[in-house]
Each structure stands twice: as structure tokens, then as C-alpha cells.
Amino acid sequence: MANGTILFFLPEDPGGDSSGAEQLRRIRAEVEKHGFEVRWARDAADARAVLRTEAGLAAAMVAWDLPAPARPAAEPDDQDAAAMLRQLGQRFKDLPVFLVMADEDLERLPLWVAETVVGYVWPLEDTPSFIAGRLVRAARTYLEAVLPPFFKALRHFGDTHEYSWHTPAHSGGVAFLKSPVGRAFFDYFGERLFRSDLSISVEELGSLYEHTGPIGDAERNAARVFGADRTYFVLHGDSTANRMVGHYCVTHDEIALVDRNCHKSVLHGLVVSGARPVYLVPTRNGYGLAGPLPPAEIRAAAVAARIADNPLSRAAASPGAEYAVLTNSTYDGLCYDAVAVARAFAPSTPRVHFDEAWFAYARFHPLYAGRYGMSVGPDTFPGPDRPTVFSTQSTHKLLAALSQSAMVHLRPAPRAPVEHERFNETFMMHGTTSPLYPVIASLDVATGMMDGGQGHWLVDEAVTEAIRFRQSMVRLAERIAAEGDRPPWFFGVWQPDAVTDPATGERWGFAQAPADLLRSEPSCWQLEPEADWHGFRDLSEGYCLLDPIKVTLTCPGIDAGGTMADWGIPARVLTSYLSTRNIVVEKTDSYTTLVLFSMGITKGKWGTLLDALTDFKALHDRDTPLAQVLPDVVARFPRRYADRSLRELCREMHDHLRRAGLVELLDTAFQDLPVPVVPPQRCYRQLVRGGTERVRLAEAAGRVAAAMVTVTPPGIPVLMPGESIGAKDGPLLRYLGALESFDRDFPGFRSETHGVGIDPDSGDYLIECVRRDRENLLRSS
């Protein structure tokens, strides 16, 4: 196996018979003797292909005097040596580059070039072995230096090949070799995993709890890269990070301001701490997508009114909120002006927590400048009013790290200082004394990958591919309309119809907009106040931005304003078909579905999605029998679907959704919040002490919920522990009743409803409620 790759960007033909070509071939042979692969690129296109595909590049040798190809005067000069040096610097941090010279005139080189390269090569003036030796030595030094602190220490420790006298008991995997099933397990994962699964007794690697040694170095390196004052590695996902921050920031009977569009782990943090939540309501659009908290909702007067109107506030430990938490970006890719949010919350709370589970890449691309928690600091928000800011990130979700890896970033402010020793007590409560070291290493490596220009390169690639897909979807619709030989294209993408170049004022249709404009200009993605395409109201200029890598596909049947059409294709039918093509989407709502363009995206991957959408349309246009489109669903429920076609199923389901007003009921249920009765922690006590029971919807009116109810779509809590379920004809029970009816009528397409049980005989929804005989005790305590 090669140690790494060295790029030769040279105009010479490697098979040529000149003395220069012969000498370069000898240099290549000497390099290969040392175990390195050589990639020889004669032109810029080949060299750029190497940069895109060869992440193991360890050094480069670039000819300065490359022939300049003929090109129009207006065409940018991106094919010469200077352009290649810039691209190498953008793609690889501190990559050693040697400049191959044809003469002795170094003084004619631009100063920045002299500062960029590590040396010069005159191929005919030294021996091939000497030149190759310089290249190889620089490459090996780079490959060692590129390793971040903990991963480097872990590799060095593994290379010592010492016996293990500590836990875990498998002792580097040896125990697995003593059993057939264990041997199969060992062979599947390989020895390296088990040799790196170590005990905290290994002092050379540091301590996760004490934040010392290479682990501490890795956390400090992550703080630098992610722009934090302090960073903590969390090994049980962003859910644990959220519970940790909530547990630290707010204590028993204190008030917490909570974005209703929150993850369930935020609620769990409130249960652990005993806090009293005051919920803030995000806006929603006609598709049923949750938007941001409107600016007016988080201003001091509005927050004070929310607190005053909340029954739980009357017995709070103090009249003001100690903590605010909101989701950024939202599940559908809406991200805030973080500084504006911090300024708005500042009069109401000293601590603001951005749950950025899906947004760890934000710091590394200019589209997201100022839209992530760690952008709030003394430079952007000077003065004594700045709150302490926490950011919790699920590193594995959209960066390259192992599952369950997460980070807590923080930037303390003088008004709410965070002493490490105190926060670390909370950290240890939610951590483990038996960490899996490969997960720590993956956090360290994810940090290293984002360090410097390479972080921007990686995110920009994902942004670029997302934009290409978005534009391809619009162009496909335009192409079908222009040809006029088939029914119109009916899928869309939730995005602006047109964008403006702020530099020139020129207005572009989205499909025709220059890709460079879309990938570099944030204003193209901002939600303009009252714009029809997004459907949200009460936003201010620049307050919210749509993240281009979170792509929401729209199906016909409803628009962003909530107007339903006579016919439609519910998204659940589409995603069921996509699953037969091994395409699993992130989230499905009534008429939209979300796909993510992460760093692992390729043209082939999104091309497969586009092909599947095209095939679905063809099947719908032909009114194909459902048994040919969704054979597994028909096989499971033959009496319901055996005689149906795809078009008939879509029509029946759309008619049901329109008749039931499900999207409208959803909006009402999320905007008209249930009345809080008791704090969540008290309901949890009843839950674990037998003080709750499961109740059918028909019997649930007026009861107190004991568990959170979250419906997917849209994946947001509709009911929290301690809240009243409300009247029989109230918004919550009407909405849940409509979902229950849908699930009965369309088996195989049911909603994913967390916190709701299903009676196996009747299919009735069951909600966990506080027992009647415990309610009065709860209300009086």
C-alpha cells in the first residue's frame, strides 16, 4: 500500500525522449521506491481532477514555466502554475509544494509564491535520488504534521504493540478470537478497531473528564477551529450535549425560554433540571414547515408577556428567564442571524443556547457568516449586555465523524461566567468513564478536516452540488414544458424563483443564475419579508436564510401559502416509492420531503435521485397499477390496495387530506399551544412511580399529559409533559384525531408518532396521561 501520493504537475510527456523527461521519470521511480504513488498531470484539468479525488496527497512538484494555452482575453487564467498553487493551498492546509524551475531567475517570482512553496527543483542539476529524497522527506513530515493531537497520539500508542493489562476485557480483540462468533466479529471490523479500544488507565492519551493530555489538546484545537472559547467532546450525541447544557444553565423552578420547535432532548434537560418552560412559537408556512421564531416573538416585551401569561411562572424561583434555547438551523434548513437573535434575547436572559445539531459546518463557508452561535462574541456584540452563548453540534450528522460524536462549544460573557470546574461537574454527570477512543479520534479528525482552507473546500463542494441539483430540477421542468409532448413536470424545490446580484442589480431566474453567485452570495438565500415562495410572515430583512444543502422537494397539492389544489401527490407516496429505489430521505411532510447534501454527496448520487423522480412521474402519467410501483405495500395490505393504480392512490390520499384539513389542523395545533398545568419533572415522577395511564383520544379531553407527543411529519412536539390535552373539539385532539383517521384509512403510510401508543386491535391512539387520582395532588404541590 502506498504511503501517500505526490503530484507531478509538469508539462513534459512522461513517455518523452528528451533529457528533461528522462530525468523526471528517474525522479518518479525513486519516489515510488519509497512507497509513494506519483500522479503525473500535464494540464490543469488533470491536476484539478487529482485535487478533487486524491485526499491522500502528501506533496506536489509544480513547473512554474507552464505553457499558457490560447484563450479568450475575458476568460480567467486558471490554468497556469500560479492558479494551481492557489488551488493546492485552498484544498490542502500546509501541503509542501516544490517549484520546478527552467532557469535561475528567482527574482521574477511573485513574493506570495516564494512564501507558498517550500523549495525549488532544477531537475538536471541534482541526482534523481537526492531530489526524490527531498520530496519524500517533506511528504512524510506533512503526513505526520497533518494528524490532529489525539489521533496522532492514538496511532503512536498503537505502534508500540504493548500488551493490555487493563479493561476492556477483550484485550485488543484477542478474547474474540476464542469463539467462532467472536472471530467473525473480529474479522468483520479488523484488528485496528480493537487495539484502539482502550481504558482511561492509558495516561499517555489523556483524560476526557480532566481534559488533559492529547484529549485536552484535541478539545482546545477544536475550540480554535470552530471559533469557541472552550469546546467539550461529547460521546453520546447532540442529545446528551443538549441535556448537559440545559442541566447546567437552569435549575429547579427557574424559567427557561424554549423554542417549541425543539428536539426532545431539550425537554429531557428540563426534566432533569426541574425547570419551568415558557415556550416560544415559531412561524409556519402553508406546507406545514416550521419556520424561525419571528423577530417580534423574541423581543423583550413579547418575552415578558409570554412569561406573565404562563401559569408555571407564578411559582418560579425568580421572575426572569435564566436560559433560552432555540434550534439553528431548523430541520428544514432555516438559519438565523445569530447576532440579531442574541441581541433580541439579551434583555430577557443571560444565557442563549443554539442547538446546531445539523449545522456544524456553518463556520467554514461565507454563505453562513454570522449565522451560527459562535459568531456571537465581543467583536460582534460588544458591551456588558452580551449573553453567554452555547452551541451544541452533532458532529457526525453533516461532518465526517462516527455516530454519537458531538461537541459543546461556548463563549462566556461576564454577565454569566462559565467556570470550567463547575461546568465540568455537569459534563461528568452526563458522560462516561469508559469512552470509546475511536469516537474521540473521529471528533479530532473531523476538526482537522475543517482546519484552514480545506474546511471551506469541503463545504463548498456540498453547496455546489446542491445548487447543481436545484438548478437541474428547474431546468428539467422548463425542458418538459418547452417540448410539450408529455404532461408537465410536477415536482419542485422549495427555493426562490429568482435572485438578484447585489453587485450589479441584475435579476436572474433561479435556473439561469450564475452558480458562482448562488454559492457565494448570502442574499440569494435570505427569506425576503412576505415573499410568496417561502410562505412565512412577520420576518425582517436578513433575519433568516435558507441553507442550500438542505433541499426540500415539493409535491403538487398545496402551495407555500396553504392553498390546496384539486389534485395532488402526497409526499408519503413518493418517499415510499423512493425507498424501493434504496433512496431514504431525511424527513417527509404532507407534501414535502427533505434530502441532505452532505460532504459525501456526488453527482452520481443526486443523479440517481433525479432519475427516480423522473421515473415516478412516468409511472404516475401512465396510471401504473400500484402493485408494480409499491409491491411490498400491496402485499401487506392486499384488500386495501390490490385494485388501485398509483394515480388513484394519490387522488384518494390527497382528497382525504383536503377533506380533513390536516395541514390546517396541524398549523392550528402548533400555533395554539396547550395550557401548561405543572412542570415536566413532576409528570416524570408520576411516570416512573405508576401514576400514569394510557388513554384513548376519545377519553383524553381535559387530561394532563405525562409524556411528550411528537408527530413526524413534521417532527416537532405537539404536546409536552404537564400540559392539558384540552377540549374534545380543541385543536390538539382534532389534529391527533385526523392523524388517527388517516392511519386507519391508509395502512402502510402511517405517521411516525413518538409518545403515542397504538392499540393493536382497534388501531386507536393511546396517550400517556396522569391518573385522575394524582392530578389534584400534582396541581396543589
Side-chain angles (χ1 to χ4, degrees):
M1 181 182 293
N3 293 320
T5 302
I6 296 177
L7 170 65
F8 282 20
F9 184 29
L10 308 168
E12 285 83 357
D13 181 353
D17 56 5
S18 68
S19 59
E22 175 62 26
Q23 184 76 336
L24 290 169
R25 283 199 298 273
R26 291 171 179 168
I27 295 171
R28 178 176 65 181
E30 291 293 330
V31 168
E32 291 172 342
K33 286 180 182 178
H34 290 278
F36 285 85
E37 179 185 0
V38 173
R39 297 285 297 273
W40 195 312
R42 295 186 62 195
D43 57 39
D46 285 347
R48 285 196 298 270
V50 173
L51 297 193
R52 284 195 306 270
T53 60
E54 189 54 74
L57 207 62
M61 193 164 66
V62 177
W64 178 250
D65 293 303
L66 291 171
R71 63 174 67 89
E75 185 177 335
D77 185 359
D78 64 350
Q79 301 189 35
D80 60 10
M84 183 51 55
L85 290 178
R86 292 190 183 96
Q87 291 172 31
L88 285 166
Q90 293 166 0
R91 177 67 176 90
F92 298 96
K93 184 175 183 287
D94 300 327
L95 183 80
V97 179
F98 291 83
L99 209 59
V100 179
M101 304 297 294
D103 56 39
E104 300 180 2
D105 188 9
L106 295 180
E107 293 183 0
R108 66 188 176 90
L109 294 176
L111 289 177
W112 71 267
V113 172
E115 294 166 352
T116 300
V117 301
V118 299
Y120 303 92
V121 173
W122 283 268
L124 296 175
E125 294 195 4
D126 284 301
T127 64
S129 62
F130 179 80
I131 295 172
R134 294 186 69 204
L135 284 167
V136 167
R137 182 174 181 274
R140 286 176 174 164
T141 301
Y142 169 79
L143 290 176
E144 177 68 12
V146 78
L147 300 180
F150 179 77
F151 183 46
K152 180 186 294 185
L154 184 64
R155 282 184 48 151
H156 287 178
F157 181 83
D159 290 341
T160 62
H161 298 93
E162 294 289 344
Y163 282 112
S164 167
W165 296 94
H166 48 70
T167 59
H170 62 70
S171 296
V174 174
F176 291 115
L177 301 178
K178 300 181 178 183
S179 157
V181 65
R183 180 62 194 245
F185 184 65
F186 181 94
D187 290 343
Y188 182 79
F189 284 104
E191 182 174 0
R192 184 74 70 180
L193 171 66
F194 302 106
R195 293 294 177 187
S196 59
D197 184 18
L198 302 165
S199 166
I200 59 171
S201 304
V202 181
E203 295 183 6
E204 299 97 310
L205 299 178
S207 167
L208 184 64
Y209 273 7
E210 300 299 326
H211 310 279
T212 56
I215 292 178
D217 292 339
E219 289 181 322
R220 286 183 285 276
N221 186 49
R224 175 186 63 82
V225 171
F226 286 89
D229 290 344
R230 182 118 198 181
T231 291
Y232 296 83
F233 285 177
V234 179
L235 306 190
H236 300 100
D238 189 66
S239 295
T240 294
N242 283 337
R243 289 190 290 269
M244 186 185 299
V245 171
H247 193 189
Y248 173 80
C249 287
V250 62
T251 62
H252 191 73
D253 283 340
E254 291 180 337
I255 294 174
L257 303 173
V258 181
D259 181 357
R260 191 71 177 195
N261 181 17
C262 69
H263 189 262
K264 60 186 177 182
S265 59
V266 171
L267 169 70
H268 296 157
L270 302 177
V271 171
V272 171
S273 67
R276 293 173 174 259
V278 173
Y279 294 106
L280 306 177
V281 183
T283 183
R284 305 186 67 80
N285 71 3
Y287 290 121
L289 303 179
L293 296 170
E297 179 78 2
I298 60 177
R299 293 186 187 124
V303 170
R306 283 275 184 190
I307 293 174
D309 292 343
N310 192 302
L312 299 185
S313 302
R314 294 163 196 160
S318 57
E322 292 294 334
Y323 165 69
V325 55
L326 71 161
T327 303
N328 184 53
S329 71
T330 69
Y331 305 117
D332 301 295
L334 299 175
C335 41
Y336 293 90
D337 179 336
V339 177
V341 167
R343 288 186 180 277
F345 270 126
S348 304
T349 180
R351 302 169 188 86
V352 177
H353 169 193
F354 292 89
D355 178 7
E356 297 179 336
W358 300 84
F359 207 37
Y361 51 87
R363 188 169 191 258
F364 308 102
H365 200 282
L367 279 180
Y368 313 111
R371 296 194 176 273
Y372 54 94
M374 292 299 98
S375 66
V376 181
D379 52 337
T380 57
F381 190 170
D385 296 332
R386 175 172 58 91
T388 285
V389 174
F390 295 84
S391 169
T392 50
Q393 296 179 347
S394 188
T395 314
H396 71 93
K397 278 190 168 66
L398 286 167
L399 296 184
L402 296 180
S403 291
Q404 298 191 41
S405 57
M407 299 187 199
V408 174
H409 306 296
L410 60 94
R411 297 194 77 173
R415 64 183 287 205
V418 181
E419 297 179 24
H420 163 69
E421 291 75 14
R422 296 178 189 273
F423 184 81
N424 200 49
E425 287 296 318
T426 310
F427 176 88
M428 291 190 289
M429 288 183 194
H430 295 271
T432 175
T433 54
S434 301
L436 184 64
Y437 280 37
V439 177
I440 301 176
S442 78
L443 283 166
D444 194 27
V445 168
T447 299
M449 291 177 64
M450 305 311 292
D451 194 5
Q454 59 191 343
H456 171 266
W457 190 91
L458 290 167
V459 179
D460 191 63
E461 184 180 50
V463 169
T464 298
E465 293 304 326
I467 289 170
R468 285 173 175 162
F469 173 79
R470 288 172 174 273
Q471 291 190 311
S472 294
M473 285 283 289
V474 181
R475 290 168 184 158
L476 179 58
E478 293 174 346
R479 177 181 164 192
I480 290 175
E483 293 183 0
D485 59 351
R486 66 198 70 193
W489 180 249
F490 45 60
F491 293 121
V493 183
W494 187 56
Q495 61 194 16
D497 300 318
V499 297
T500 300
D501 185 343
T504 65
E506 187 172 2
R507 188 78 169 162
W508 296 85
F510 189 89
Q512 291 72 43
D516 284 347
L517 175 67
L518 293 174
R519 58 192 275 269
S520 62
E521 180 48 59
S523 64
C524 293
W525 302 96
Q526 290 176 4
L527 274 61
E528 299 173 348
E530 309 306 318
D532 291 337
W533 72 265
H534 60 72
F536 296 116
R537 299 293 174 253
D538 304 321
L539 302 182
S540 57
E541 192 71 39
Y543 179 72
C544 186
L545 177 140
L546 173 63
D547 184 351
I549 76 166
K550 298 182 175 76
V551 179
T552 296
L553 304 177
T554 61
C555 297
I558 198 169
D559 62 20
T563 302
M564 296 203 75
D566 292 337
W567 76 280
I569 298 176
R572 300 185 210 199
V573 180
L574 170 64
T575 54
S576 292
Y577 170 74
L578 292 178
S579 68
T580 69
R581 303 282 294 265
N582 297 314
I583 298 172
V584 181
V585 302
E586 184 59 41
K587 182 171 75 75
T588 300
D589 291 282
S590 295
Y591 292 92
T592 63
T593 188
L594 176 68
V595 293
L596 300 177
F597 278 66
S598 66
M599 292 194 303
I601 195 66
T602 63
K603 294 180 186 66
K605 184 175 178 180
W606 66 253
T608 300
L609 173 60
L610 192 62
D611 178 64
L613 295 173
T614 304
D615 290 347
F616 181 93
K617 180 184 180 298
L619 293 167
H620 184 274
D621 291 347
R622 293 196 300 265
D623 201 18
T624 307
L626 196 61
Q628 297 178 28
V629 182
L630 300 175
D632 289 347
V633 173
V634 175
R636 288 169 57 205
F637 306 101
R639 295 180 59 185
R640 176 66 177 86
Y641 299 120
D643 59 347
R644 295 295 193 276
S645 68
L646 175 60
R647 193 184 298 171
E648 287 172 336
L649 173 63
C650 290
R651 183 172 58 250
E652 287 180 17
M653 192 178 293
H654 174 72
D655 289 345
H656 180 106
L657 292 172
R658 185 173 58 168
R659 188 169 55 250
L662 191 62
V663 177
E664 182 180 347
L665 288 173
L666 177 147
D667 183 63
T668 304
F670 281 101
Q671 295 297 321
D672 189 1
L673 297 184
V675 176
V677 178
V678 292
Q681 190 184 70
R682 296 187 188 177
C683 289
Y684 178 74
R685 291 178 194 161
Q686 297 300 321
L687 185 70
V688 298
R689 289 291 175 260
T692 66
E693 59 186 354
R694 288 195 164 187
V695 176
R696 285 178 166 79
L697 293 185
E699 303 162 355
R703 301 293 294 269
V704 175
M708 177 173 58
V709 174
T710 302
V711 180
T712 302
I716 301 166
V718 292
L719 185 66
M720 295 292 194
E723 292 180 336
S724 172
I725 294 173
K728 184 175 182 179
D729 60 350
L732 178 62
L733 284 177
R734 288 177 62 207
Y735 172 56
L736 292 177
L739 283 178
E740 185 181 57
S741 172
F742 178 92
D743 289 352
R744 284 201 188 99
D745 284 2
F746 297 96
F749 299 94
R750 68 178 301 271
S751 306
E752 184 180 352
T753 312
H754 301 283
V756 170
I758 306 293
D759 186 295
D761 298 321
S762 66
D764 290 349
Y765 277 14
L766 304 172
I767 299 180
E768 198 77 35
C769 299
V770 176
R771 280 173 27 196
R772 287 287 194 189
D773 61 330
R774 300 290 183 95
E775 281 189 17
N776 291 335
L777 179 64
L778 270 181
R779 293 172 190 266
S780 61
S781 60

